[in-house]
Amino acid sequence: MTCINALSLPRRLDELGIHDTFVVALYGTVLTSGAASLVGLTYAKLTAHLGYAALRRIAAGAWTAALLVFAVAGHWAVLLTVPVLTGIGSGITMPTLTVLVDRAAPAEQRGTATSLQATALFGGQFASPLLFGPLIDSTSIATGALVAATGTAGILAALFRLREPDQSADIAEPEREDPRRTPVGE
């Protein structure tokens, strides 16, 4: 998703007559970061009211909608929704996946598990231009976005098959030992 937005948005805006680099930066960076930040500020309340399964579905739905709008928008103003929807999806996904990976991993492997999650995330960001770049160059930006939307729609469909993670894991999990209270040498 980020590849299509970050790499192709300037080209897509150029197709629609937006050539000012400052405006392109506003589209690509400010709107995405702003939306993700707003989600971050409300994340605890969102999680309490909706749960992790619903949040993952909202994130995948936001990415799918962003890609569809990106593919078919005929006016620059409509493209304003793309970075906002992308930011919403990313703002939800980052903390949700980190929490779920943390809960799923045994205490002694949590650092490794979250590191692997981050590696997968950044690996995908690295690999996606290698996959979508040639596709977009040989077809169109819209085709690349529609193919990516098919992928995120598949993720969304799979998420509807998953059940809500056990919320009681917070209560049942043994308390983590505070390393500041452990005597030196033990």
Side-chain angles (χ1 to χ4, degrees):
M1 172 64 223
T2 304
C3 162
I4 300 290
N5 191 18
L7 299 180
S8 298
L9 184 60
R11 288 173 55 188
R12 187 75 172 95
L13 288 168
D14 188 59
E15 290 175 356
L16 298 174
I18 303 295
H19 310 292
D20 184 352
T21 55
F22 179 74
V23 173
V24 172
L26 285 176
Y27 266 90
T29 306
V30 174
L31 293 174
T32 303
S33 299
S37 296
L38 289 175
V39 168
L41 292 172
T42 61
Y43 183 76
K45 289 181 181 181
L46 289 170
T47 304
H49 290 298
L50 299 173
Y52 294 111
L55 286 176
R56 289 180 294 176
R57 291 178 192 126
I58 291 168
W63 284 337
T64 303
L67 288 163
L68 292 173
V69 169
F70 189 79
V72 301
H75 192 271
W76 62 266
V78 178
L79 282 180
L80 285 170
T81 61
V82 173
V84 172
L85 289 167
T86 302
I88 289 169
S90 297
I92 290 171
T93 300
M94 298 271 193
T96 300
L97 290 180
T98 302
V99 167
L100 294 176
V101 166
D102 182 64
R103 287 186 179 173
E108 65 277 0
Q109 295 178 337
R110 285 187 178 125
T112 300
T114 55
S115 295
L116 290 172
Q117 174 215 350
T119 300
L121 172 78
F122 293 117
Q125 288 180 344
F126 173 80
S128 62
L130 300 175
L131 297 171
F132 284 100
L135 172 66
I136 289 170
D137 287 342
S138 65
T139 59
S140 68
I141 294 171
T143 300
L146 290 172
V147 169
T150 303
T152 57
I155 291 169
L156 179 59
L159 289 172
F160 275 105
R161 299 197 39 92
L162 294 176
R163 63 178 181 79
E164 181 72 36
D166 185 13
Q167 296 288 358
S168 65
D170 288 335
I171 299 167
E173 182 180 312
E175 278 192 43
R176 295 182 192 182
E177 190 173 314
D178 184 352
R180 295 173 293 181
R181 296 187 183 260
T182 303
V184 176
E186 289 188 22

PDB file of all heavy atoms in Angstrom, residues 44-65:
ATOM      1  N   ALA A  44      -6.257   3.973  22.205  1.00  0.00           N
ATOM      2  CA  ALA A  44      -6.717   3.256  23.407  1.00  0.00           C
ATOM      3  C   ALA A  44      -8.240   3.187  23.452  1.00  0.00           C
ATOM      4  O   ALA A  44      -8.819   2.135  23.742  1.00  0.00           O
ATOM      5  CB  ALA A  44      -6.174   3.914  24.668  1.00  0.00           C
ATOM      6  N   LYS A  45      -8.895   4.292  23.147  1.00  0.00           N
ATOM      7  CA  LYS A  45     -10.360   4.308  23.140  1.00  0.00           C
ATOM      8  C   LYS A  45     -10.907   3.441  22.013  1.00  0.00           C
ATOM      9  O   LYS A  45     -11.891   2.718  22.199  1.00  0.00           O
ATOM     10  CB  LYS A  45     -10.892   5.737  23.003  1.00  0.00           C
ATOM     11  CG  LYS A  45     -10.678   6.566  24.247  1.00  0.00           C
ATOM     12  CD  LYS A  45     -11.228   7.962  24.085  1.00  0.00           C
ATOM     13  CE  LYS A  45     -10.957   8.760  25.352  1.00  0.00           C
ATOM     14  NZ  LYS A  45     -11.470  10.115  25.275  1.00  0.00           N
ATOM     15  N   LEU A  46     -10.288   3.508  20.847  1.00  0.00           N
ATOM     16  CA  LEU A  46     -10.728   2.676  19.731  1.00  0.00           C
ATOM     17  C   LEU A  46     -10.617   1.195  20.072  1.00  0.00           C
ATOM     18  O   LEU A  46     -11.530   0.412  19.792  1.00  0.00           O
ATOM     19  CB  LEU A  46      -9.898   2.975  18.479  1.00  0.00           C
ATOM     20  CG  LEU A  46     -10.127   4.311  17.792  1.00  0.00           C
ATOM     21  CD1 LEU A  46      -9.067   4.550  16.720  1.00  0.00           C
ATOM     22  CD2 LEU A  46     -11.526   4.363  17.195  1.00  0.00           C
ATOM     23  N   THR A  47      -9.508   0.811  20.674  1.00  0.00           N
ATOM     24  CA  THR A  47      -9.302  -0.583  21.040  1.00  0.00           C
ATOM     25  C   THR A  47     -10.325  -1.030  22.076  1.00  0.00           C
ATOM     26  O   THR A  47     -10.886  -2.119  21.971  1.00  0.00           O
ATOM     27  CB  THR A  47      -7.877  -0.792  21.585  1.00  0.00           C
ATOM     28  OG1 THR A  47      -6.951  -0.327  20.608  1.00  0.00           O
ATOM     29  CG2 THR A  47      -7.598  -2.241  21.889  1.00  0.00           C
ATOM     30  N   ALA A  48     -10.570  -0.194  23.056  1.00  0.00           N
ATOM     31  CA  ALA A  48     -11.539  -0.551  24.108  1.00  0.00           C
ATOM     32  C   ALA A  48     -12.948  -0.724  23.542  1.00  0.00           C
ATOM     33  O   ALA A  48     -13.679  -1.617  23.955  1.00  0.00           O
ATOM     34  CB  ALA A  48     -11.534   0.515  25.201  1.00  0.00           C
ATOM     35  N   HIS A  49     -13.325   0.119  22.589  1.00  0.00           N
ATOM     36  CA  HIS A  49     -14.688   0.071  22.040  1.00  0.00           C
ATOM     37  C   HIS A  49     -14.860  -0.953  20.932  1.00  0.00           C
ATOM     38  O   HIS A  49     -15.927  -1.559  20.820  1.00  0.00           O
ATOM     39  CB  HIS A  49     -15.105   1.446  21.516  1.00  0.00           C
ATOM     40  CG  HIS A  49     -15.319   2.460  22.600  1.00  0.00           C
ATOM     41  ND1 HIS A  49     -16.267   2.332  23.586  1.00  0.00           N
ATOM     42  CD2 HIS A  49     -14.680   3.622  22.853  1.00  0.00           C
ATOM     43  CE1 HIS A  49     -16.212   3.365  24.399  1.00  0.00           C
ATOM     44  NE2 HIS A  49     -15.243   4.169  23.979  1.00  0.00           N
ATOM     45  N   LEU A  50     -13.826  -1.151  20.121  1.00  0.00           N
ATOM     46  CA  LEU A  50     -13.984  -1.980  18.930  1.00  0.00           C
ATOM     47  C   LEU A  50     -13.301  -3.340  19.015  1.00  0.00           C
ATOM     48  O   LEU A  50     -13.757  -4.287  18.394  1.00  0.00           O
ATOM     49  CB  LEU A  50     -13.450  -1.218  17.705  1.00  0.00           C
ATOM     50  CG  LEU A  50     -14.144   0.098  17.386  1.00  0.00           C
ATOM     51  CD1 LEU A  50     -13.399   0.822  16.276  1.00  0.00           C
ATOM     52  CD2 LEU A  50     -15.590  -0.146  17.003  1.00  0.00           C
ATOM     53  N   GLY A  51     -12.203  -3.417  19.731  1.00  0.00           N
ATOM     54  CA  GLY A  51     -11.442  -4.665  19.786  1.00  0.00           C
ATOM     55  C   GLY A  51     -10.455  -4.760  18.630  1.00  0.00           C
ATOM     56  O   GLY A  51     -10.535  -4.029  17.648  1.00  0.00           O
ATOM     57  N   TYR A  52      -9.518  -5.690  18.762  1.00  0.00           N
ATOM     58  CA  TYR A  52      -8.441  -5.817  17.791  1.00  0.00           C
ATOM     59  C   TYR A  52      -8.917  -6.344  16.448  1.00  0.00           C
ATOM     60  O   TYR A  52      -8.451  -5.905  15.405  1.00  0.00           O
ATOM     61  CB  TYR A  52      -7.335  -6.725  18.347  1.00  0.00           C
ATOM     62  CG  TYR A  52      -6.650  -6.125  19.538  1.00  0.00           C
ATOM     63  CD1 TYR A  52      -6.809  -6.677  20.797  1.00  0.00           C
ATOM     64  CD2 TYR A  52      -5.848  -4.996  19.405  1.00  0.00           C
ATOM     65  CE1 TYR A  52      -6.190  -6.111  21.900  1.00  0.00           C
ATOM     66  CE2 TYR A  52      -5.220  -4.431  20.504  1.00  0.00           C
ATOM     67  CZ  TYR A  52      -5.393  -4.986  21.747  1.00  0.00           C
ATOM     68  OH  TYR A  52      -4.787  -4.425  22.825  1.00  0.00           O
ATOM     69  N   ALA A  53      -9.830  -7.293  16.436  1.00  0.00           N
ATOM     70  CA  ALA A  53     -10.293  -7.858  15.164  1.00  0.00           C
ATOM     71  C   ALA A  53     -10.962  -6.774  14.317  1.00  0.00           C
ATOM     72  O   ALA A  53     -10.694  -6.657  13.118  1.00  0.00           O
ATOM     73  CB  ALA A  53     -11.234  -9.028  15.409  1.00  0.00           C
ATOM     74  N   ALA A  54     -11.829  -5.986  14.918  1.00  0.00           N
ATOM     75  CA  ALA A  54     -12.505  -4.918  14.176  1.00  0.00           C
ATOM     76  C   ALA A  54     -11.505  -3.872  13.694  1.00  0.00           C
ATOM     77  O   ALA A  54     -11.617  -3.380  12.562  1.00  0.00           O
ATOM     78  CB  ALA A  54     -13.580  -4.266  15.043  1.00  0.00           C
ATOM     79  N   LEU A  55     -10.527  -3.553  14.507  1.00  0.00           N
ATOM     80  CA  LEU A  55      -9.526  -2.567  14.094  1.00  0.00           C
ATOM     81  C   LEU A  55      -8.714  -3.066  12.899  1.00  0.00           C
ATOM     82  O   LEU A  55      -8.426  -2.305  11.971  1.00  0.00           O
ATOM     83  CB  LEU A  55      -8.595  -2.220  15.254  1.00  0.00           C
ATOM     84  CG  LEU A  55      -9.193  -1.326  16.334  1.00  0.00           C
ATOM     85  CD1 LEU A  55      -8.205  -1.127  17.474  1.00  0.00           C
ATOM     86  CD2 LEU A  55      -9.615   0.018  15.755  1.00  0.00           C
ATOM     87  N   ARG A  56      -8.361  -4.344  12.902  1.00  0.00           N
ATOM     88  CA  ARG A  56      -7.624  -4.888  11.757  1.00  0.00           C
ATOM     89  C   ARG A  56      -8.477  -4.841  10.497  1.00  0.00           C
ATOM     90  O   ARG A  56      -7.990  -4.560   9.413  1.00  0.00           O
ATOM     91  CB  ARG A  56      -7.148  -6.308  12.045  1.00  0.00           C
ATOM     92  CG  ARG A  56      -6.021  -6.326  13.080  1.00  0.00           C
ATOM     93  CD  ARG A  56      -5.566  -7.712  13.367  1.00  0.00           C
ATOM     94  NE  ARG A  56      -6.677  -8.414  14.022  1.00  0.00           N
ATOM     95  CZ  ARG A  56      -6.663  -9.676  14.354  1.00  0.00           C
ATOM     96  NH1 ARG A  56      -5.619 -10.427  14.078  1.00  0.00           N
ATOM     97  NH2 ARG A  56      -7.688 -10.236  14.961  1.00  0.00           N
ATOM     98  N   ARG A  57      -9.770  -5.113  10.654  1.00  0.00           N
ATOM     99  CA  ARG A  57     -10.664  -5.045   9.491  1.00  0.00           C
ATOM    100  C   ARG A  57     -10.791  -3.603   8.985  1.00  0.00           C
ATOM    101  O   ARG A  57     -10.809  -3.363   7.775  1.00  0.00           O
ATOM    102  CB  ARG A  57     -12.041  -5.605   9.861  1.00  0.00           C
ATOM    103  CG  ARG A  57     -12.021  -7.084  10.105  1.00  0.00           C
ATOM    104  CD  ARG A  57     -13.398  -7.587  10.526  1.00  0.00           C
ATOM    105  NE  ARG A  57     -13.282  -8.931  11.026  1.00  0.00           N
ATOM    106  CZ  ARG A  57     -13.709  -9.342  12.214  1.00  0.00           C
ATOM    107  NH1 ARG A  57     -14.343  -8.504  13.018  1.00  0.00           N
ATOM    108  NH2 ARG A  57     -13.543 -10.589  12.590  1.00  0.00           N
ATOM    109  N   ILE A  58     -10.893  -2.668   9.899  1.00  0.00           N
ATOM    110  CA  ILE A  58     -10.975  -1.255   9.505  1.00  0.00           C
ATOM    111  C   ILE A  58      -9.707  -0.842   8.763  1.00  0.00           C
ATOM    112  O   ILE A  58      -9.770  -0.147   7.738  1.00  0.00           O
ATOM    113  CB  ILE A  58     -11.233  -0.356  10.740  1.00  0.00           C
ATOM    114  CG1 ILE A  58     -12.642  -0.608  11.279  1.00  0.00           C
ATOM    115  CG2 ILE A  58     -11.015   1.118  10.400  1.00  0.00           C
ATOM    116  CD1 ILE A  58     -12.889   0.010  12.647  1.00  0.00           C
ATOM    117  N   ALA A  59      -8.552  -1.271   9.258  1.00  0.00           N
ATOM    118  CA  ALA A  59      -7.289  -0.928   8.607  1.00  0.00           C
ATOM    119  C   ALA A  59      -7.237  -1.492   7.190  1.00  0.00           C
ATOM    120  O   ALA A  59      -6.912  -0.768   6.240  1.00  0.00           O
ATOM    121  CB  ALA A  59      -6.107  -1.437   9.430  1.00  0.00           C
ATOM    122  N   ALA A  60      -7.556  -2.765   7.032  1.00  0.00           N
ATOM    123  CA  ALA A  60      -7.532  -3.383   5.698  1.00  0.00           C
ATOM    124  C   ALA A  60      -8.584  -2.744   4.790  1.00  0.00           C
ATOM    125  O   ALA A  60      -8.340  -2.540   3.594  1.00  0.00           O
ATOM    126  CB  ALA A  60      -7.744  -4.889   5.801  1.00  0.00           C
ATOM    127  N   GLY A  61      -9.734  -2.408   5.356  1.00  0.00           N
ATOM    128  CA  GLY A  61     -10.768  -1.724   4.578  1.00  0.00           C
ATOM    129  C   GLY A  61     -10.331  -0.334   4.142  1.00  0.00           C
ATOM    130  O   GLY A  61     -10.593   0.086   3.011  1.00  0.00           O
ATOM    131  N   ALA A  62      -9.643   0.374   5.027  1.00  0.00           N
ATOM    132  CA  ALA A  62      -9.147   1.710   4.686  1.00  0.00           C
ATOM    133  C   ALA A  62      -8.117   1.632   3.570  1.00  0.00           C
ATOM    134  O   ALA A  62      -8.139   2.442   2.628  1.00  0.00           O
ATOM    135  CB  ALA A  62      -8.547   2.392   5.925  1.00  0.00           C
ATOM    136  N   TRP A  63      -7.219   0.649   3.647  1.00  0.00           N
ATOM    137  CA  TRP A  63      -6.218   0.496   2.588  1.00  0.00           C
ATOM    138  C   TRP A  63      -6.868   0.123   1.263  1.00  0.00           C
ATOM    139  O   TRP A  63      -6.497   0.646   0.212  1.00  0.00           O
ATOM    140  CB  TRP A  63      -5.199  -0.568   2.976  1.00  0.00           C
ATOM    141  CG  TRP A  63      -4.209  -0.110   3.996  1.00  0.00           C
ATOM    142  CD1 TRP A  63      -3.838   1.169   4.282  1.00  0.00           C
ATOM    143  CD2 TRP A  63      -3.457  -0.946   4.863  1.00  0.00           C
ATOM    144  NE1 TRP A  63      -2.889   1.175   5.276  1.00  0.00           N
ATOM    145  CE2 TRP A  63      -2.646  -0.108   5.657  1.00  0.00           C
ATOM    146  CE3 TRP A  63      -3.383  -2.318   5.062  1.00  0.00           C
ATOM    147  CZ2 TRP A  63      -1.767  -0.591   6.611  1.00  0.00           C
ATOM    148  CZ3 TRP A  63      -2.511  -2.805   6.014  1.00  0.00           C
ATOM    149  CH2 TRP A  63      -1.713  -1.948   6.780  1.00  0.00           C
ATOM    150  N   THR A  64      -7.844  -0.776   1.314  1.00  0.00           N
ATOM    151  CA  THR A  64      -8.536  -1.176   0.085  1.00  0.00           C
ATOM    152  C   THR A  64      -9.254   0.020  -0.531  1.00  0.00           C
ATOM    153  O   THR A  64      -9.148   0.263  -1.744  1.00  0.00           O
ATOM    154  CB  THR A  64      -9.521  -2.326   0.369  1.00  0.00           C
ATOM    155  OG1 THR A  64      -8.794  -3.429   0.943  1.00  0.00           O
ATOM    156  CG2 THR A  64     -10.216  -2.793  -0.894  1.00  0.00           C
ATOM    157  N   ALA A  65      -9.959   0.773   0.293  1.00  0.00           N
ATOM    158  CA  ALA A  65     -10.662   1.961  -0.212  1.00  0.00           C
ATOM    159  C   ALA A  65      -9.675   2.973  -0.790  1.00  0.00           C
ATOM    160  O   ALA A  65      -9.922   3.560  -1.857  1.00  0.00           O
ATOM    161  CB  ALA A  65     -11.485   2.600   0.910  1.00  0.00           C
TER     162      ALA A  65
END
